[in-house]
Amino acid sequence: MTQTLTTKVLIIGAGTGGYVAGIRCGQLGLDTVLVDGGDGLGGTCLNVGCIPSKAIIHAASKFETVAKAAAGGTLGITASKPAIDLAQTTAWKDGIVKKLNAGVAGLLKKAKVKVINGWATFSDAKTCTVKTADGDIVISAEHVILATGSEPVELPFLPFGGDVISSTEALSLDKVPAKLVVVGGGYIGLELGIAFRKLGAEVAIVEMADRLLPLYDKALTDPVQKWLEKHGVELHLGAKAGSFEKGQLNITTKDGAALKLKADKVLVTVGRRPRTKGWGLENMGVAMAGPFVKIDDRCATSMRNVWAVGDLTGEPMLAHKGSAQGEIVAEIIAGHDKRFDPVTIAAVCFTEPEIVSAGLGPQDVEGRDDVITAVFPLMAIGRALALEAGDDGGFVRVLASKTDHRLLGLQAVGQHVSELSNSFAQMLEMGAVLEDVAGTIHVHPTMGEAFHEASLRALGHAIHI
C-alpha cells in the first residue's frame, strides 16, 4: 500500500548537511521530513568517515606509545610488548558511532523532524517516492534540500570487493593486515595508512603524483613524508596502480618499471565523488557544474525552492562546510536573509604530524611582492616540546598583506595542530590583522603560542626566536 505525505521541507540525506538542516528547520517551526537512505543518521562523517577514522587513529597512537615504551622506554616509562585485538577496537569504535547516532536521532526528535528510513527516487523536482520496509511513501514538498553526500571513487581495474577495500571497509577490519597497500596519497589514504603502520602493518603507498598530498605545499607535507620514511612505509610516487591478482598488486613505477607488491589488503583512496546517481536527480531539472549540482551563494539550485548542500555541491568536500550550508538554507526557507560566503573553510589532515590550512597558501601568492610570510617553528614552543611535538619539523606560518597587515592565510604542521584550526578560521573570518593576533594575550603553555609568535615575527619582533 502506498502512503502519501505533504510537507513544507523535504531533506534527502541525513549526513552532516542534511541532519543539521533538519534540526534548524525544526527549531524554526518548519514542518520537515528527513529521508535517510544512506549510511545512517550522521552520514559518512559519523558512520564511516570522520568520527570512526579519528577513533582508530587515536587507538593506533595509544598502541604506538606502548610499543615505544616496550622497545626500550620513552619518557622514563617502560612496558611489556603490546598486542592489538582489532575486533575489540572496532567494537569500541562502533560504540562511539552508536552513541552519536542516538544523539542525532534525539536532536531530530526534539526538533519535531519526521525521519523516514528508505531510498528516495524523484519523479520531478518536488515529488519523490521513498521505498521503506513498510511500503512506498510518496512525498511532495514546497522546498527540497538535497544533501546526498559523496561516495568513494572506484577504479575500474580495482573494483571494491574481497581484499580490495575502501575506507569504509578499512574502518571495520577485525584484524590488522600484515601487508597493506594504499592506492592514493591523499589525506584519507595517509590517515589510515599511518594508523595501520602504528598498529604494526607493513604499509606501502602508491601515488600517481610526484609527491604526497599534492594539494598542499611541500613545506607542509615534508614532515609527513619524513615520518613515513622513518617508520618504514614504502613510498611509490609518480606510480600507477594496476590490477590485483593472487595477493599481489601490479604497479608501474615512475621510471616505467613493472612491480608486484604483496598485499593482504589493498585500500583504494583515490578520492570521492558526489552521490548523484540512483535517486532521480536527472528528473529534477537542476543545472550541474561538472559532476556537482550547481548552486548560488544561497545554496539555491536552478530550480525554484530546490536547494543543495554539502559534498553534492563541490569542493571542499568537508563535513563542516555541509553543516554550515544546511543551517543557512533552513534560515533562508524560514525567511531570513542569509548568504553562504565564508572567508575561509579550514581543512585538517589528521596525518602524522597533522596539517592545518586556512585561506591562501604560498602557491596562491607566488610572485606577489605585497605579501608578508612568517614561519615560527614548534621546537621553540615549550608546550610542543613537553608533548614531544617539537622535533618533527613542525611550524606555524602566517601570510598577511604588507600594506594593511590583513591576514590572508594560515597554515601549520605538527602534532596536535588540528586544535589551532578554529582559531585560524575565526581570525580570517573576522578580517583580523597581524596586530590583532599580536595584541591577544595567548595562554602559556599552549600550542597556540606559535600562532602568536608567527604573527609577531611577521611584524619583525618575535620574542622566542
Side-chain angles (χ1 to χ4, degrees):
M1 180 178 175
T2 300
Q3 302 178 53
T4 58
L5 188 62
T6 301
T7 185
K8 173 80 171 182
V9 182
L10 168 63
I11 303 170
I12 305 299
T16 49
Y19 89 74
V20 168
I23 291 169
R24 190 68 183 115
C25 282
Q27 291 174 342
L28 292 164
L30 303 173
D31 183 29
T32 305
V33 173
L34 173 63
V35 177
D36 170 31
D39 299 305
L41 295 179
T44 294
C45 175
L46 194 157
N47 293 277
V48 293
C50 315
I51 301 302
S53 67
K54 303 314 166 284
I56 296 298
I57 288 167
H58 175 69
S61 293
K62 291 283 190 184
F63 183 85
E64 182 192 35
T65 299
V66 180
K68 282 182 179 177
T74 178
L75 309 179
I77 302 167
T78 56
S80 300
K81 184 178 180 180
I84 181 76
D85 183 339
L86 193 60
Q88 284 192 32
T89 306
T90 299
W92 164 75
K93 175 266 295 181
D94 289 343
I96 293 171
V97 170
K98 185 177 180 181
K99 185 181 295 185
L100 292 171
N101 279 146
V104 172
L107 292 168
L108 288 165
K109 184 177 180 180
K110 181 181 177 183
K112 296 182 172 57
V113 176
K114 181 178 179 60
V115 177
I116 297 175
N117 295 304
W119 190 260
T121 304
F122 281 84
S123 54
D124 60 46
K126 306 289 176 59
T127 309
C128 72
T129 300
V130 182
K131 292 193 173 298
T132 75
D134 300 319
D136 292 354
I137 305 175
V138 176
I139 306 175
S140 58
E142 182 181 341
H143 293 267
V144 173
I145 303 175
L146 302 176
T148 56
S150 62
E151 59 195 2
V153 171
E154 185 176 48
L155 296 172
F157 50 86
L158 275 177
F160 294 130
D163 291 327
V164 179
I165 61 175
S166 72
S167 56
T168 298
E169 292 77 36
L171 292 167
S172 294
L173 293 175
D174 58 6
K175 65 178 181 179
V176 178
K179 293 181 182 293
L180 174 69
V181 176
V182 180
V183 178
Y187 76 95
I188 297 174
L190 288 181
E191 286 182 4
L192 294 176
I194 288 169
F196 279 106
R197 181 68 191 110
K198 288 180 177 181
L199 292 171
E202 292 183 23
V203 176
I205 295 173
V206 180
E207 166 58 43
M208 283 186 66
D210 289 334
R211 64 182 186 83
L212 301 169
L213 296 167
L215 295 180
Y216 293 89
D217 66 87
K218 190 171 181 295
L220 287 176
T221 61
D222 274 350
V224 177
Q225 183 159 336
K226 287 176 183 175
W227 187 96
L228 294 168
E229 292 169 348
K230 180 180 177 181
H231 290 80
V233 175
E234 194 178 323
L235 298 178
H236 298 276
L237 303 178
K240 295 181 180 179
S243 60
F244 179 63
E245 301 166 328
K246 298 178 180 178
Q248 294 183 315
L249 178 69
N250 294 297
I251 73 165
T252 304
T253 68
K254 183 179 181 179
D255 300 326
L259 277 185
K260 292 182 182 293
L261 302 180
K262 289 184 179 179
D264 296 297
K265 298 289 181 184
V266 176
L267 171 58
V268 179
T269 59
V270 294
R272 296 183 67 84
R273 63 186 173 205
R275 192 175 279 126
T276 56
K277 299 186 185 305
W279 48 272
L281 176 63
E282 63 278 6
N283 299 324
M284 299 185 73
V286 299
M288 304 295 290
F292 302 105
V293 171
K294 185 177 182 180
I295 58 169
D296 63 14
D297 63 354
R298 299 165 67 245
C299 299
T301 71
S302 59
M303 180 63 68
R304 181 176 173 80
N305 289 348
V306 175
W307 317 81
V309 302
D311 290 359
L312 187 64
T313 66
E315 298 288 356
M317 295 167 78
L318 298 170
H320 42 290
K321 181 197 80 172
S323 296
Q325 289 178 320
E327 189 174 352
I328 282 171
V329 169
E331 292 175 357
I332 291 172
I333 293 172
H336 300 188
D337 184 12
K338 291 282 185 173
R339 293 289 187 276
F340 183 70
D341 186 24
V343 172
T344 186
I345 302 174
V348 178
C349 294
F350 289 87
T351 44
E352 187 67 58
E354 296 172 347
I355 297 174
V356 180
S357 183
L360 301 181
Q363 66 275 24
D364 301 311
V365 298
E366 193 171 353
R368 288 175 55 175
D369 60 4
D370 61 338
V371 176
I372 305 168
T373 301
V375 173
F376 194 86
L378 293 181
M379 66 182 298
I381 297 296
R383 177 65 169 165
L385 294 178
L387 291 171
E388 299 181 278
D391 59 356
D392 55 10
F395 61 84
V396 171
R397 180 170 61 210
V398 171
L399 284 77
S401 167
K402 274 186 182 177
T403 54
D404 61 4
H405 293 177
R406 187 81 54 200
L407 294 177
L408 302 174
L410 301 164
Q411 292 86 39
V413 57
Q415 294 180 55
H416 313 292
V417 297
S418 59
E419 297 305 324
L420 301 179
S421 57
N422 293 314
S423 179
F424 286 0
Q426 182 182 35
M427 284 294 185
L428 288 168
E429 194 67 39
M430 289 174 61
V433 296
L434 290 169
E435 287 82 359
D436 292 323
V437 184
T440 300
I441 298 175
H442 285 66
V443 174
H444 175 77
T446 63
M447 298 291 284
E449 289 178 277
F451 183 18
H452 184 237
E453 289 278 6
S455 299
L456 289 174
R457 195 173 197 186
L459 291 168
H461 53 86
I463 301 299
H464 290 96
I465 196 168

